Amino acid sequence: MGWYDADIDRVIITEEELRAKTAELAKQVAADYASVDGLLLVCVLKGAVMFMADFSRELGKVGGPPAELEFMAVSSYGQGTTSSGVVRILKDLDRDIAGKHVIVVEDIVDSGLTLSWLLKYLESRSAKSVDVVALFRKPEAIKVPVPVKYVGFDIPTEFVVGYGLDYSERYREVPYVGILKPEVYQR
Ligand code: PRP
């Protein structure tokens, strides 16, 4: 039992399902990029760290091209939990991405505002191609349409935590994805 189990109302995606989906996404990407000599994976901190770690290893195992791993941290100017679409870079890419095949590795697409900004940013840095793999998507929450080529799971617009997703910086280490009991965020 983890300390967090008592705070979870129900599990919506198990560890096994996360593993299987990650392998499936890695296989698709490996097949689509079979002819390139390298991929640059861009992880958007912090929520995507678990997925980045597992996805990049799967990609290697299923015969994908060699990957370089980059990390960015961004923060959206906005009130509370609502993204405004105006993004500030807290940690930029460490190296030049010009001419590289880039894949953005995201945990979740919610309103789409962060990703929409990020795609423009990466294109302005002259990436050769930019695609997105997102493990989760909340289809009902989308405010701006964003081209997400690879999507793991569509999830309900509820308070989900785990596998990188937090509530107030906690629950990221939960190995499954679950819905938080309302009393936790009503405390
Ligand atoms: C989450 C997630 C995306 C963004 C998606 O990050 O990792 O980057 O929100 O939301 P949007 O589609 O509405 O723009 P968050 O700002 O919660 O930071 P975190 O990853 O550090 O938890």
Side-chain angles (χ1 to χ4, degrees), residues 25-86:
L25 292 169
K27 278 187 199 134
Q28 285 174 27
V29 171
D32 291 353
Y33 284 88
S35 61
V36 308
D37 57 2
L39 272 177
L40 190 133
L41 306 181
V42 175
C43 168
V44 187
L45 295 170
K46 301 171 198 166
V49 283
M50 308 291 173
F51 183 46
M52 176 70 150
D54 289 341
F55 175 79
S56 58
R57 280 178 295 184
E58 270 312 313
L59 190 63
K61 286 200 264 179
V62 298
E68 289 174 61
L69 277 53
E70 281 287 323
F71 297 84
M72 281 186 77
V74 301
S75 144
S76 58
Y77 288 107
Q79 296 289 304
T81 53
T82 324
S83 321
S84 60
V86 183

Side-chain angles (χ1 to χ4, degrees), residues 44-48 74 76 83 106-115 164 166 169 172:
V44 187
L45 295 170
K46 301 171 198 166
V74 301
S76 58
S83 321
E106 259 289 20
D107 50 339
I108 187 162
V109 184
D110 194 339
S111 68
L113 291 166
T114 307
L115 203 50
D166 72 311
E169 295 302 325
R172 293 194 199 274

Side-chain angles (χ1 to χ4, degrees), residues 109-172:
V109 184
D110 194 339
S111 68
L113 291 166
T114 307
L115 203 50
S116 165
W117 175 89
L118 191 62
L119 291 178
K120 286 194 201 103
Y121 177 71
L122 295 171
E123 273 151 22
S124 78
R125 302 270 307 249
S126 308
K128 190 163 188 183
S129 67
V130 184
D131 271 330
V132 180
V133 56
L135 187 55
F136 312 115
R137 180 174 59 183
K138 282 184 172 172
E140 288 162 30
I142 288 288
K143 281 191 194 151
V144 284
V146 271
V148 184
K149 189 163 176 192
Y150 310 95
V151 181
F153 302 91
D154 279 324
I155 58 171
T157 312
E158 285 186 82
F159 228 117
V160 291
V161 295
Y163 201 68
L165 302 177
D166 72 311
Y167 166 62
S168 204
E169 295 302 325
R170 289 171 74 171
Y171 305 98
R172 293 194 199 274

